[in-house]
Amino acid sequence: MAPQRRAAPRGPESGGTAAGPDRGGRRHSSAGRSRGQQESRWRWLKTAFLLSSAAAGGLLSWSYLSAEDGVTEVLARRGDSLRDKFIEIPCSEDYDSQRRFEGCTPRRCGRGVTDAIITQEEAERIRRIAERGLSLGGSDGGASILDLHSGALSLGKHFVNLYRYFGDKIQDIFTEEDFALYRDVRQRVQQRIAQAFGISSASMYLTKPTFFSRINSTEAKTTHDEYWHPHIDKVTYGSFDYTSLLYLSDYSEDFGGGRFIFMDAGSNKTIEPCAGRVSFFTSGSENLHRVEKVHWGTRYAITISFTCNPAHGIGDPVLP
């Protein structure tokens, strides 16, 4: 999952330190008592407002607490070798309020994991593409992105277009073979998703954002670095109908934390990343999810997203 563009509501702030009792109790004026009562009421209203805001989060708040409580089922352990694992779940109502595209818009919803699409050698080659591209920049916080389609690259606390910013230097970073491998992997992932959900791959369109992510334990500097908040892809990125992630590093070997978590009512379903593993799912609220904070090391992945609406489609990246 990608770095998030909006932070989750923050917890209540601590109140200021209460003043000690006046040594000359009689010197307390009624104005002082009034101010104290007013401040007390303000603190109460502030706390009540924050609590009601949290309650308004409903499913997100409840699910987040469940995640922290650690009620977890592991769907895919790092050491597993999964040919194909698919779990069908009921579709949310998200798709009822949008234009339907026959043969593509989800009627069957779920989530899948496979280790049979990308080889270890291919995953290593793709990771090197990410490493070379991100070596040109990187966030000051713990989450950096590289989007070969739009050219977006994290740089400090901002983003730049690497194709414009670095110009001809790009030819020394990437090759035609890199981009050909990227396109081939994207096509294989697309075909697997289509097969799992019983739709035509020709009816699916790559959409934005599709990007590499690099996450480490550096403290977040902006909201773009706060990747760990629970979210729904179709809410965060309106064009998404199907989401996939290709992991490029290994949980507990290359990094700690950083597991992918589906947040279901009553429990969580967790995927432990390993290089070459692909997870995919329908993008509606039936698949609320988050990524654990990375505690050590560096986690690499690609988010590859698809839409059913051709108006939201994008082309494969082309080396300038």
Side-chain angles (χ1 to χ4, degrees), residues 119-193:
T119 68
Q120 285 281 333
E121 188 270 336
E122 289 170 329
E124 290 173 6
R125 288 172 57 195
I126 296 169
R127 175 173 167 167
R128 287 196 292 271
I129 296 172
E131 289 172 335
R132 292 198 302 271
L134 286 161
S135 72
L136 298 173
S139 169
D140 287 345
S144 301
I145 71 159
L146 167 65
D147 183 338
L148 293 180
H149 302 263
S150 68
L153 172 70
S154 300
L155 187 65
K157 293 182 176 65
H158 307 284
F159 298 94
V160 297
N161 184 310
L162 81 161
Y163 299 125
R164 290 200 296 265
Y165 197 83
F166 295 100
D168 293 341
K169 187 178 180 180
I170 294 300
Q171 302 287 340
D172 300 326
I173 302 298
F174 304 121
T175 67
E176 291 289 357
E177 289 75 16
D178 293 334
F179 279 59
L181 175 61
Y182 184 94
R183 289 191 296 270
D184 180 50
V185 166
R186 187 273 302 165
Q187 289 169 350
R188 278 184 265 163
V189 171
Q190 182 171 342
Q191 289 166 359
R192 179 66 191 93
I193 294 173

